[in-house]
């Protein structure tokens, strides 16, 4: 995610990081090439007796804009839901640790194990969503007695939820927590399960392929033929106007594709590393432990 200080509106016009321009430069270059071909072949093109006008492109442009609006709304809704789920994860881990510390004030070892399981769950979920290996963070956070069980599972985040449930059952069996508190903590563990399931649903269920395919075909055909409709009126200004119109459609389509998977590492995706770091710093602070360094945006304002 791009996190940068407030800019004057004029300077923001020239911002590069976070924009999708770098991703569509090749496609804009193709549009520029078609515009140049249209300009230099104008005389030959007029002898064919076939003249494209801007009227059908105006109608098609309105239809594409509506379709792009739907596509972007669907993608942004996935982004918002993903951010809500990770916000819920942060809130729930704080609540769980507060409940555990209140019930086990005289058993810091049990609280430390519970904290390690919560932290390992958040990092394991991050790795699962990004398709990376969580082994290093599992070994860093979990005690040796739990590492083998979690590392052997292909679904490590879900296995950690099971470990949290077993920890809770053990505390009730030895009388450390009451049945009422058990139900409260179990309710928050169910919230973690809902977060896991919600993130898996977003990650494993893309927007239907047909929507993306129809939109891409329509946008690319529109941008390819547009110069030939503009050239009879604009002549040498055709490349400028055509590229500006194409930039609008191509950038919206590219942004929607980027937001469709909000758990990646693109410029406009969620900063899952930073969120996990915040969870770890918060829980360490609640236990009066040393805080890990806070993650900051890099020199290019990118926070992952």
């Amino acid at each position: 995610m791009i996190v940068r200080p407030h800019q004057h509106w004029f300077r923001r016009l020239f911002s590069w990081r976070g924009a999708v321009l770098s991703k569509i430069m090749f496609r804009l270059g193709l549009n520029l090439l078609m515009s140049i071909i249209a300009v230099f072949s104008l005389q030959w093109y007029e002898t064919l007796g076939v003249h494209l006008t801007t009227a059908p492109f105006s109608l098609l442009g309105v239809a594409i804009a509506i379709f792009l609006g739907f596509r972007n709304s669907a993608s942004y809704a996935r982004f918002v839901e993903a951010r809500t789920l990770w916000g819920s994860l942060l809130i729930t881990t704080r609540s769980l640790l507060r409940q555990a510390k209140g019930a086990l004030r005289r058993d810091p070892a049990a609280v430390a194990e519970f904290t390690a399981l919560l932290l390992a769950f958040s990092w394991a979920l991050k790795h699962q969503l990004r398709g990376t290996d969580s082994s290093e963070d599992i070994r860093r956070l979990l005690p040796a007695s739990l590492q083998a069980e979690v590392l052997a599972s292909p679904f490590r985040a879900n296995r950690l939820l099971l470990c949290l449930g077993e920890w809770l059952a053990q505390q009730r069996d030895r009388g450390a927590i009451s049945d009422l508190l058990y139900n409260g903590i179990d309710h928050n563990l169910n919230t973690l399960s809902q977060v896991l399931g919600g993130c898996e649903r977003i990650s494993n269920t893309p927007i239907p392929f047909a929507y993306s395919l129809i939109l891409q075909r329509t946008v690319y055909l529109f941008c390819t033929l547009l110069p030939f409709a503009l050239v009879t009126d604009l002549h040498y200004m055709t490349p400028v106007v055509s590229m500006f119109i194409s930039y609008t459609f191509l950038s919206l389509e590219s942004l929607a594709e980027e937001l469709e998977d909000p758990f990646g590492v693109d410029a406009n995706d969620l900063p899952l590393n930073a969120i996990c770091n915040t969870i770890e710093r918060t829980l360490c602070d609640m236990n009066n432990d040393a805080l890990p360094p806070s993650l900051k945006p890099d020199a290019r304002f990118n926070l992952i």
Side-chain angles (χ1 to χ4, degrees), residues 229-242:
L230 298 176
V231 68
T232 54
D233 295 324
L234 299 180
H235 300 287
Y236 293 109
M237 285 296 295
T238 298
V240 177
V241 177
S242 179

Side-chain angles (χ1 to χ4, degrees), residues 236-296:
Y236 293 109
M237 285 296 295
T238 298
V240 177
V241 177
S242 179
M243 286 187 64
F244 179 74
I245 297 174
S246 298
Y247 166 76
T248 303
F249 287 113
L250 292 173
S251 60
L252 287 173
E253 191 274 330
S254 180
L255 180 59
E257 185 176 355
E258 186 173 314
L259 292 180
E260 181 180 348
D261 179 18
F263 304 121
V265 292
D266 291 323
N268 295 291
D269 288 332
L270 289 174
L272 299 188
N273 283 16
I275 297 175
C276 289
N277 175 256
T278 299
I279 294 174
E280 185 169 351
R281 286 173 55 84
T282 300
L283 299 193
C284 288
D285 178 68
M286 293 175 69
N287 285 335
N288 296 317
D289 296 332
L291 303 185
S294 177
L295 292 183
K296 301 293 184 182

